[in-house]
Amino acid sequence: MALSKIDSDGIVSGGITADSLNIGQIGGRRNLIINGDMAISQRNTSFTNPLNQYTLDRWISQLDTTSARSTVTQESSGGPSGFRNFLRVTVTTADATLDSSDLQNIKQIIEGYNMRHTDQGTSDAETLTCSFWVRSSVTGTYSATLYLNSTGTQYAYPAEYTINSANTWEYKTVTFSPQTTSASWVSSGYTNGEYAQLRFGLMIGSGQGGTADTWNASNKFGASGQTNLFATNGATWDLTGVQLEVGSVATPFEHRSYGEELDACMRYYQYYSNKDYTLTRTSKVEGSTNDANVPTVRTPLSKWMRANPTATFSNASLTSSGTDFRFIGFYGNTSVSAGQTDLRTTTVDLDAEL
């Protein structure tokens, strides 16, 4: 469907199409990034020295160094217009002299099912554009890198951008040219596993950097020679409004409802706090000859997850509360006597992250 075009005199002529704008689509879901506005943070709002762990939902802090340290926080005020939340990295221990293997990235891993319409690795591969809002106390040239990884074939495209003014929100766009040289991604990469990573480099040692604005046939985390945020103790770097989409033109950020964004995040991680579950008693554990009464709890998940999650229960204990029985997905190995029907747990973590 074409949209009418109105000139300065208010006269309608011609039409605006996705092709004429050189973008993948005008409406519907465009953004390949989940939680690009940094509104969802189920795990916490502050993370100290996250070396290689998830922080805000879907966003990993990857830090590989012997000395530099940082905190990652979810901020709820002071963002650019239209954005309440942003991710902040604060340098708590500086490292001005980098080893070749040093690196710091804020990155998101993208599932293969979400990338299949981009046709990477074929002659039909699409150009991808990333747009975002960034602010830092340290000016200079940084990089956003698209990394493609499937069946051992690795390509990385570090695209440079410049922070011109300290402590000022700036809107940036970078473009990744089509990757057309690994058709194996089509048959093996479009699954529920990892397909791509979008990486924002903050500290890149000489062995971790690649040639800017081109495809490097190896695993690179940023552009060679980019600015080292970690050279300055107390330095900050802020990010929000991240969008990765098909086409060579950045379109306005695709704001989704809080509930819709949380739903997308819960495909990979679900967190519950202060939960009380009532147990039923079964006569046998699957695969066991033990006929003792054991606790079994079953309930539907809030969201069908990407894969079977790893479940972690903290401070779990059995308590007495009568004889009612309800269900959730937990299996125990301890006998349960009559009246011991509640499983009480401070937190439940279900993790199916990439």
Side-chain angles (χ1 to χ4, degrees), residues 68-94:
R69 292 292 183 266
S70 66
T71 61
V72 173
T73 55
Q74 181 198 42
E75 303 295 324
S76 59
S77 64
S81 178
F83 296 92
R84 178 179 176 83
N85 297 105
F86 59 92
L87 179 152
R88 166 167 285 185
V89 176
T90 302
V91 177
T92 56
T93 302

Side-chain angles (χ1 to χ4, degrees), residues 161-176:
Y161 68 92
T162 301
I163 295 178
N164 300 292
S165 301
N167 301 313
T168 302
W169 282 109
E170 298 176 358
Y171 179 71
K172 305 296 180 182
T173 65
V174 296
T175 299
F176 306 107

Side-chain angles (χ1 to χ4, degrees), residues 145-196:
T145 299
L146 183 63
Y147 169 66
L148 301 177
N149 176 30
S150 181
T151 64
T153 304
Q154 300 176 329
Y155 283 90
Y157 193 113
E160 291 183 327
Y161 68 92
T162 301
I163 295 178
N164 300 292
S165 301
N167 301 313
T168 302
W169 282 109
E170 298 176 358
Y171 179 71
K172 305 296 180 182
T173 65
V174 296
T175 299
F176 306 107
S177 63
Q179 215 304 316
T180 60
T181 58
S182 183
S184 65
W185 284 333
V186 176
S187 59
S188 62
Y190 297 137
T191 69
N192 67 337
E194 175 184 336
Y195 184 89

Side-chain angles (χ1 to χ4, degrees), residues 19-241:
D19 288 340
S20 67
L21 291 175
N22 198 15
I23 58 176
Q25 62 191 78
I26 293 175
R29 281 281 183 95
R30 303 185 311 280
N31 196 357
L32 291 165
I33 296 299
I34 297 172
N35 198 28
D37 62 357
M38 311 300 174
I40 311 298
S41 193
Q42 296 183 81
R43 294 171 177 86
N44 208 328
T45 58
S46 181
F47 306 85
T48 302
N49 300 331
L51 298 182
N52 190 18
Q53 71 183 67
Y54 278 90
T55 57
L56 283 64
D57 274 62
R58 305 296 303 123
W59 293 103
I60 302 172
S61 173
Q62 182 178 12
L63 181 63
D64 187 0
T65 177
T66 58
S67 56
R69 292 292 183 266
S70 66
T71 61
V72 173
T73 55
Q74 181 198 42
E75 303 295 324
S76 59
S77 64
S81 178
F83 296 92
R84 178 179 176 83
N85 297 105
F86 59 92
L87 179 152
R88 166 167 285 185
V89 176
T90 302
V91 177
T92 56
T93 302
D95 185 2
T97 304
L98 299 183
D99 294 334
S100 63
S101 60
D102 286 348
L103 71 93
Q104 161 72 49
N105 268 263
I106 296 296
K107 69 180 185 180
Q108 182 164 141
I109 302 176
I110 304 173
E111 184 178 344
Y113 284 145
N114 296 337
M115 288 285 291
R116 53 190 169 185
H117 64 289
T118 70
D119 286 329
Q120 299 304 308
T122 75
S123 59
D124 294 324
E126 300 276 8
T127 297
L128 297 172
T129 294
C130 180
S131 54
F132 53 96
W133 285 92
V134 66
R135 177 176 67 179
S136 180
S137 61
V138 178
T139 61
T141 301
Y142 294 81
S143 62
T145 299
L146 183 63
Y147 169 66
L148 301 177
N149 176 30
S150 181
T151 64
T153 304
Q154 300 176 329
Y155 283 90
Y157 193 113
E160 291 183 327
Y161 68 92
T162 301
I163 295 178
N164 300 292
S165 301
N167 301 313
T168 302
W169 282 109
E170 298 176 358
Y171 179 71
K172 305 296 180 182
T173 65
V174 296
T175 299
F176 306 107
S177 63
Q179 215 304 316
T180 60
T181 58
S182 183
S184 65
W185 284 333
V186 176
S187 59
S188 62
Y190 297 137
T191 69
N192 67 337
E194 175 184 336
Y195 184 89
Q197 296 184 16
L198 179 63
R199 300 165 167 173
F200 292 91
L202 304 180
M203 175 177 66
I204 302 296
S206 60
Q208 306 286 13
T211 304
D213 301 317
T214 191
W215 284 106
N216 295 253
S218 56
N219 184 12
K220 299 300 180 182
F221 292 87
S224 297
Q226 73 158 70
T227 298
N228 176 18
L229 180 80
F230 280 72
T232 306
N233 197 46
T236 59
W237 180 87
D238 302 332
L239 178 70
T240 194

